[in-house]
Amino acid sequence: NAGVTQTPKFQVLKTGQSMTLQCAQDMNHNSMYWYRQDPGMGLRLIYYSASEGTTDKGEVPNGYNVSRLNKREFSLRLESAAPSQTSVYFCASSFPSGGGTDTQYFGPGTRLTVL
Amino acid sequence: EDKVVQSPLSLVVHEGDTVTLNCSYEVTNFRSLLWYKQEKKAPTFLFMLTSSGIEKKSGRLSSILDKKELFSILNITATQTGDSAVYLCAEIQGAQKLVFGQGTRLTINP
């Protein structure tokens, strides 16, 4: 199993450009998540998808949109990139059992720089 | 939203020392607490704690949860340079939302 994969690994954008970050998992997990990580801020949840066909806002959703394309794939879109969105983006997935065993598995991350 | 606070934010020790990392959390919708180790890339899972007072152990690492005082500790004994990393704790709240602390950057000097 590849686990959680993300593309691209690195990206540089100019202010105002748009792009989509791709995430896929092959673990048959129901839930998927997008986080951003900034120095000194830890990981902050942008959006999550509890199951195929549903998405919910996390802590910092402004400036982002998401699509849960199918059970495997969860994409994050920046419609008009801003320098404040320079960050490392992590996708994660989990298979909630309802019994407190919701370990999340992370992708390798995408380093995004907005000039 | 509940906060997760880790301390210290940064720690530098010598190889062979024992370290204790702290994580405090709030309780509104607590389900579990997770510890991760993050080196250069994605966080890797260490422990999940759900019950109070039961120590989880993996080699030189161990962790315990105190649900009365709302904190968890991560212990690393006989530290090695390979233990150098950022250690993250995160609280699972309600419906699968994870709230992370800021992380503790641990540096082990030879």
Side-chain angles (χ1 to χ4, degrees):
Chain A
N1 286 353
V4 181
T5 56
Q6 290 182 235
T7 55
K9 288 188 168 53
F10 302 94
Q11 183 72 48
V12 179
L13 294 177
K14 293 182 180 177
T15 297
Q17 286 185 315
S18 62
M19 79 160 295
T20 300
L21 280 64
Q22 307 287 354
C23 174
Q25 52 90 11
D26 62 1
M27 296 177 282
N28 201 35
H29 285 169
N30 288 338
S31 301
M32 297 184 74
Y33 311 80
W34 276 106
Y35 295 90
R36 60 178 289 173
Q37 187 173 35
D38 304 298
M41 299 286 286
L43 280 157
R44 292 184 292 168
L45 183 65
I46 304 172
Y47 271 94
Y48 69 103
S49 170
S51 60
E52 187 179 352
T54 68
T55 61
D56 285 286
K57 294 179 180 179
E59 183 183 358
V60 287
N62 290 347
Y64 305 95
N65 285 303
V66 290
S67 295
R68 183 73 184 269
L69 305 168
N70 47 54
K71 191 171 187 179
R72 290 188 63 248
E73 298 172 289
F74 188 38
S75 63
L76 178 73
R77 183 160 178 84
L78 287 70
E79 290 291 351
S80 178
S84 61
Q85 294 179 303
T86 294
S87 188
V88 180
Y89 291 85
F90 288 102
C91 176
S93 70
S94 69
F95 186 73
S97 67
T101 57
D102 305 341
T103 304
Q104 294 191 0
Y105 297 86
F106 285 82
T110 295
R111 185 174 293 275
L112 175 67
T113 302
V114 183
L115 303 175
Chain B
E1 185 174 81
D2 287 0
K3 288 185 180 175
V4 177
V5 178
Q6 292 186 244
S7 63
L9 293 181
S10 180
L11 185 59
V12 181
V13 300
H14 291 292
E15 208 168 15
D17 287 350
T18 293
V19 297
T20 299
L21 310 183
N22 303 291
C23 175
S24 66
Y25 65 93
E26 297 175 1
V27 79
T28 305
N29 239 337
F30 178 83
R31 288 179 62 188
S32 301
L33 191 127
L34 305 179
W35 282 97
Y36 288 89
K37 177 183 182 181
Q38 185 176 25
E39 295 175 88
K40 292 187 179 175
K41 290 192 175 179
T44 53
F45 172 74
L46 293 175
F47 298 112
M48 170 178 279
L49 303 159
T50 305
S51 302
S52 200
I54 298 175
E55 185 183 52
K56 295 275 182 93
K57 202 167 169 61
S58 176
R60 296 176 293 102
L61 277 66
S62 63
S63 185
I64 197 161
L65 178 69
D66 185 327
K67 288 170 86 170
K68 183 179 175 187
E69 301 296 332
L70 307 182
F71 76 90
S72 173
I73 60 171
L74 175 69
N75 273 329
I76 309 175
T77 59
T79 52
Q80 302 171 357
T81 53
D83 295 328
S84 295
V86 174
Y87 290 83
L88 298 165
C89 77
E91 178 189 349
I92 299 179
Q93 298 173 358
Q96 309 148 45
K97 281 180 69 171
L98 220 63
V99 177
F100 282 85
Q102 324 93 301
T104 293
R105 182 173 295 279
L106 177 64
T107 303
I108 311 295
N109 288 328

